[in-house]
Amino acid sequence: MKAVVRTNFDDSVSAYDAYEQRTGRFTALARLLAAEMATRADGPFASVLDAGAGTGVSTRVFADRAQRTVALDISREMLRELEAAPRVEADFDHLPFADGSFDGVAFTASLFLVPDPAVAAREAARVLRTGGVVGAVAPLGWVDVDGTDIFAALDRESRSPAGADEVEAALADSFAVTAGTWRFATTAADVRRFHAIPAMAARLYPNLAAEERVAKARDLLEGLEGTVEQRWRWIVGVAE
Ligand SMILES: C[S@@+](CC[C@H](N)C(=O)[O-])C[C@H]1O[C@@H](n2cnc3c(N)ncnc32)[C@H](O)[C@@H]1O
């Protein structure tokens, strides 16, 4: 599963950056998450591990707040895009850092990509100092103006390896957590752009090769029109 996720993101660099340039969605998520984390940290928020840093969208946001931000990702190709911060190619489940190394560990749109987020949550707890904070955002999907999942109407499910509920439960096992939901008004065209990213189209067609799955997602979403709401769950926990 992890090798598949790594390959999916290795194949996604240019489409990911194109989506971000068009929408700024991941920057917005990282900014909101950083603000929640900084508010809840018990003590300084000066060193942050950006876990699942990708091409560095979230890393740049956290680097604006913290003196030391380390970017970690399993995908070499995503990480290659990032020039400024220290970069570490590694898996959430085996963080190559000593106990208590960070004031914050941020999973901006990344923790739902592992099949068992509890392992990564325990690793985050280990590398955080007491009073340090973990933060995660996980997708709740896309709904139309009536609040109906847009994929239900298309007779298709959009799934990630772990759901937002699993991410929240995993973090709640290791931290004292607070959670909420962020809602973004967006357009059908941006839903299509999102699924032009091979790693995101894998939510719909996990068993197809990258080009084929993006083409199938494009066909599926062709007729979608109007305004769509994208929902993300956020969870912030304090290390005890
Ligand atoms: C949707 S991207 C988010 C990137 C970045 N945080 C942002 O806001 O743009 C998710 C990232 O998590 C990484 N990832 C997924 N599973 C991982 C794992 N087990 N260990 C480390 N990184 C992982 C992926 O390679 C990908 O770059």
PDB file of all heavy atoms in Angstrom, residues 133-146:
ATOM      1  N   VAL A 133       2.417  19.942  19.977  1.00  0.00           N
ATOM      2  CA  VAL A 133       1.121  19.714  19.325  1.00  0.00           C
ATOM      3  C   VAL A 133       1.251  18.952  18.010  1.00  0.00           C
ATOM      4  O   VAL A 133       2.188  19.171  17.245  1.00  0.00           O
ATOM      5  CB  VAL A 133       0.370  21.038  18.987  1.00  0.00           C
ATOM      6  CG1 VAL A 133      -0.364  21.574  20.178  1.00  0.00           C
ATOM      7  CG2 VAL A 133       1.291  22.074  18.383  1.00  0.00           C
ATOM      8  N   VAL A 134       0.272  18.086  17.786  1.00  0.00           N
ATOM      9  CA  VAL A 134       0.129  17.422  16.493  1.00  0.00           C
ATOM     10  C   VAL A 134      -1.076  18.049  15.804  1.00  0.00           C
ATOM     11  O   VAL A 134      -2.030  18.474  16.476  1.00  0.00           O
ATOM     12  CB  VAL A 134      -0.065  15.898  16.671  1.00  0.00           C
ATOM     13  CG1 VAL A 134      -1.409  15.568  17.293  1.00  0.00           C
ATOM     14  CG2 VAL A 134       0.084  15.167  15.347  1.00  0.00           C
ATOM     15  N   GLY A 135      -1.027  18.125  14.481  1.00  0.00           N
ATOM     16  CA  GLY A 135      -2.186  18.622  13.731  1.00  0.00           C
ATOM     17  C   GLY A 135      -2.364  17.798  12.475  1.00  0.00           C
ATOM     18  O   GLY A 135      -1.387  17.348  11.871  1.00  0.00           O
ATOM     19  N   ALA A 136      -3.622  17.585  12.103  1.00  0.00           N
ATOM     20  CA  ALA A 136      -3.898  16.843  10.864  1.00  0.00           C
ATOM     21  C   ALA A 136      -5.149  17.405  10.202  1.00  0.00           C
ATOM     22  O   ALA A 136      -6.066  17.871  10.893  1.00  0.00           O
ATOM     23  CB  ALA A 136      -4.098  15.351  11.160  1.00  0.00           C
ATOM     24  N   VAL A 137      -5.171  17.356   8.882  1.00  0.00           N
ATOM     25  CA  VAL A 137      -6.421  17.587   8.158  1.00  0.00           C
ATOM     26  C   VAL A 137      -6.671  16.379   7.261  1.00  0.00           C
ATOM     27  O   VAL A 137      -5.746  15.842   6.659  1.00  0.00           O
ATOM     28  CB  VAL A 137      -6.442  18.892   7.313  1.00  0.00           C
ATOM     29  CG1 VAL A 137      -6.492  20.102   8.206  1.00  0.00           C
ATOM     30  CG2 VAL A 137      -5.276  18.981   6.364  1.00  0.00           C
ATOM     31  N   ALA A 138      -7.914  15.961   7.216  1.00  0.00           N
ATOM     32  CA  ALA A 138      -8.296  14.767   6.444  1.00  0.00           C
ATOM     33  C   ALA A 138      -9.575  15.075   5.671  1.00  0.00           C
ATOM     34  O   ALA A 138     -10.470  15.744   6.190  1.00  0.00           O
ATOM     35  CB  ALA A 138      -8.519  13.586   7.375  1.00  0.00           C
ATOM     36  N   PRO A 139      -9.691  14.590   4.419  1.00  0.00           N
ATOM     37  CA  PRO A 139     -10.835  14.955   3.583  1.00  0.00           C
ATOM     38  C   PRO A 139     -12.145  14.309   4.016  1.00  0.00           C
ATOM     39  O   PRO A 139     -12.178  13.131   4.347  1.00  0.00           O
ATOM     40  CB  PRO A 139     -10.423  14.463   2.190  1.00  0.00           C
ATOM     41  CG  PRO A 139      -9.448  13.374   2.431  1.00  0.00           C
ATOM     42  CD  PRO A 139      -8.750  13.683   3.721  1.00  0.00           C
ATOM     43  N   LEU A 140     -13.202  15.121   3.994  1.00  0.00           N
ATOM     44  CA  LEU A 140     -14.559  14.613   4.253  1.00  0.00           C
ATOM     45  C   LEU A 140     -15.350  14.528   2.960  1.00  0.00           C
ATOM     46  O   LEU A 140     -16.505  14.123   2.976  1.00  0.00           O
ATOM     47  CB  LEU A 140     -15.281  15.537   5.238  1.00  0.00           C
ATOM     48  CG  LEU A 140     -14.800  15.487   6.690  1.00  0.00           C
ATOM     49  CD1 LEU A 140     -15.430  16.634   7.475  1.00  0.00           C
ATOM     50  CD2 LEU A 140     -15.151  14.157   7.330  1.00  0.00           C
ATOM     51  N   GLY A 141     -14.745  14.964   1.875  1.00  0.00           N
ATOM     52  CA  GLY A 141     -15.394  14.799   0.575  1.00  0.00           C
ATOM     53  C   GLY A 141     -15.985  16.092   0.033  1.00  0.00           C
ATOM     54  O   GLY A 141     -15.705  17.187   0.511  1.00  0.00           O
ATOM     55  N   TRP A 142     -16.819  15.892  -0.992  1.00  0.00           N
ATOM     56  CA  TRP A 142     -17.381  16.995  -1.772  1.00  0.00           C
ATOM     57  C   TRP A 142     -18.890  16.833  -1.787  1.00  0.00           C
ATOM     58  O   TRP A 142     -19.377  15.737  -2.069  1.00  0.00           O
ATOM     59  CB  TRP A 142     -16.889  16.932  -3.215  1.00  0.00           C
ATOM     60  CG  TRP A 142     -15.422  16.718  -3.393  1.00  0.00           C
ATOM     61  CD1 TRP A 142     -14.740  15.542  -3.224  1.00  0.00           C
ATOM     62  CD2 TRP A 142     -14.459  17.677  -3.812  1.00  0.00           C
ATOM     63  NE1 TRP A 142     -13.415  15.730  -3.518  1.00  0.00           N
ATOM     64  CE2 TRP A 142     -13.208  17.017  -3.881  1.00  0.00           C
ATOM     65  CE3 TRP A 142     -14.528  19.025  -4.157  1.00  0.00           C
ATOM     66  CZ2 TRP A 142     -12.042  17.664  -4.268  1.00  0.00           C
ATOM     67  CZ3 TRP A 142     -13.366  19.665  -4.545  1.00  0.00           C
ATOM     68  CH2 TRP A 142     -12.146  18.990  -4.594  1.00  0.00           C
ATOM     69  N   VAL A 143     -19.608  17.911  -1.498  1.00  0.00           N
ATOM     70  CA  VAL A 143     -21.072  17.818  -1.501  1.00  0.00           C
ATOM     71  C   VAL A 143     -21.668  18.906  -2.394  1.00  0.00           C
ATOM     72  O   VAL A 143     -21.056  19.968  -2.593  1.00  0.00           O
ATOM     73  CB  VAL A 143     -21.665  17.930  -0.069  1.00  0.00           C
ATOM     74  CG1 VAL A 143     -21.205  16.783   0.809  1.00  0.00           C
ATOM     75  CG2 VAL A 143     -21.341  19.269   0.569  1.00  0.00           C
ATOM     76  N   ASP A 144     -22.867  18.620  -2.910  1.00  0.00           N
ATOM     77  CA  ASP A 144     -23.554  19.631  -3.729  1.00  0.00           C
ATOM     78  C   ASP A 144     -24.355  20.571  -2.826  1.00  0.00           C
ATOM     79  O   ASP A 144     -24.284  20.472  -1.595  1.00  0.00           O
ATOM     80  CB  ASP A 144     -24.424  18.952  -4.802  1.00  0.00           C
ATOM     81  CG  ASP A 144     -25.553  18.130  -4.195  1.00  0.00           C
ATOM     82  OD1 ASP A 144     -25.899  18.352  -3.020  1.00  0.00           O
ATOM     83  OD2 ASP A 144     -26.096  17.266  -4.921  1.00  0.00           O
ATOM     84  N   VAL A 145     -25.132  21.462  -3.413  1.00  0.00           N
ATOM     85  CA  VAL A 145     -25.844  22.480  -2.632  1.00  0.00           C
ATOM     86  C   VAL A 145     -26.845  21.868  -1.646  1.00  0.00           C
ATOM     87  O   VAL A 145     -27.189  22.478  -0.639  1.00  0.00           O
ATOM     88  CB  VAL A 145     -26.569  23.513  -3.528  1.00  0.00           C
ATOM     89  CG1 VAL A 145     -25.592  24.506  -4.101  1.00  0.00           C
ATOM     90  CG2 VAL A 145     -27.368  22.829  -4.613  1.00  0.00           C
ATOM     91  N   ASP A 146     -27.291  20.637  -1.921  1.00  0.00           N
ATOM     92  CA  ASP A 146     -28.220  19.960  -0.990  1.00  0.00           C
ATOM     93  C   ASP A 146     -27.487  19.184   0.102  1.00  0.00           C
ATOM     94  O   ASP A 146     -28.122  18.511   0.914  1.00  0.00           O
ATOM     95  CB  ASP A 146     -29.096  18.951  -1.751  1.00  0.00           C
ATOM     96  CG  ASP A 146     -29.892  19.624  -2.845  1.00  0.00           C
ATOM     97  OD1 ASP A 146     -30.299  20.776  -2.620  1.00  0.00           O
ATOM     98  OD2 ASP A 146     -30.089  18.997  -3.905  1.00  0.00           O
TER      99      ASP A 146
END
